Amino acid sequence: PRIIAVIGADTKKVKWAMCCKWKGQHAARFTPDGKIMLLDNYGVKKDDLRQSRVLEISTSSGNVTVRYAGTKENPFRTHTMGRVQLLPNGNVIAVESNRGRIFEFNDKGDIVWQYKLIESNRYGVGEVPHATRYSYEYFTFMNAEKAEAGSAEN
């Protein structure tokens, strides 16, 4: 099935659905402006290779925008798993699970940073099933411990 749908929590009825503009979609999340961002594992065929894509879908217009797709020099291929996370600054964290890579790209599609695991599995790469970026403020317990350590020193 190549369908994504929004289902009402109270009614259990489909409020919105779209089909067939992707292949292998998952990790769909709403963005603050009401669009849906998702990872399309099998995306499009480029340079004789299947490339994954990060898509953004307008639920009001039905427009599908490619936020990121790999290139020949910097391929983006994950045939299973993978995740995307929209950051507060508008950048996106993408997890290329099967190739063991986590990267962040900006609205121009430029990679801001990336991390790749060392080779470790039978395919020659470590897999990353999921990654999430948290702000420092998220870890309130660490801030509390730091404050306690500072007061203990005084």
Side-chain angles (χ1 to χ4, degrees), residues 14-115:
V14 175
K15 295 180 138 199
W16 177 91
M18 184 178 255
C19 174
C20 307
K21 304 219 180 207
W22 41 76
K23 187 176 181 182
Q25 78 284 358
H26 64 209
R29 301 284 182 269
F30 279 106
T31 63
D33 60 358
K35 294 178 181 173
I36 296 173
M37 182 176 288
L38 61 81
L39 176 66
D40 178 14
N41 284 90
Y42 291 101
V44 2
K45 196 168 185 177
K46 274 176 139 178
D47 304 315
D48 294 323
L49 294 171
R50 206 35 92 182
Q51 295 275 356
S52 299
R53 306 179 293 174
V54 176
L55 302 178
E56 195 169 70
I57 302 140
S58 169
T59 55
S60 59
S61 70
N63 288 339
V64 178
T65 303
V66 177
R67 289 285 307 263
Y68 185 84
T71 63
K72 188 173 186 175
E73 299 77 32
N74 194 13
F76 177 38
R77 290 190 304 271
T78 187
H79 301 289
T80 61
M81 300 184 284
R83 291 282 183 261
V84 291
Q85 177 191 7
L86 180 63
L87 301 175
N89 67 358
N91 289 357
V92 176
I93 295 283
V95 179
E96 189 177 19
S97 297
N98 301 135
R99 297 185 63 191
R101 182 171 71 132
I102 305 163
F103 63 97
E104 177 181 343
F105 64 89
N106 62 23
D107 60 351
K108 295 176 187 149
D110 299 325
I111 293 179
V112 176
W113 69 262
Q114 65 181 338
Y115 176 79

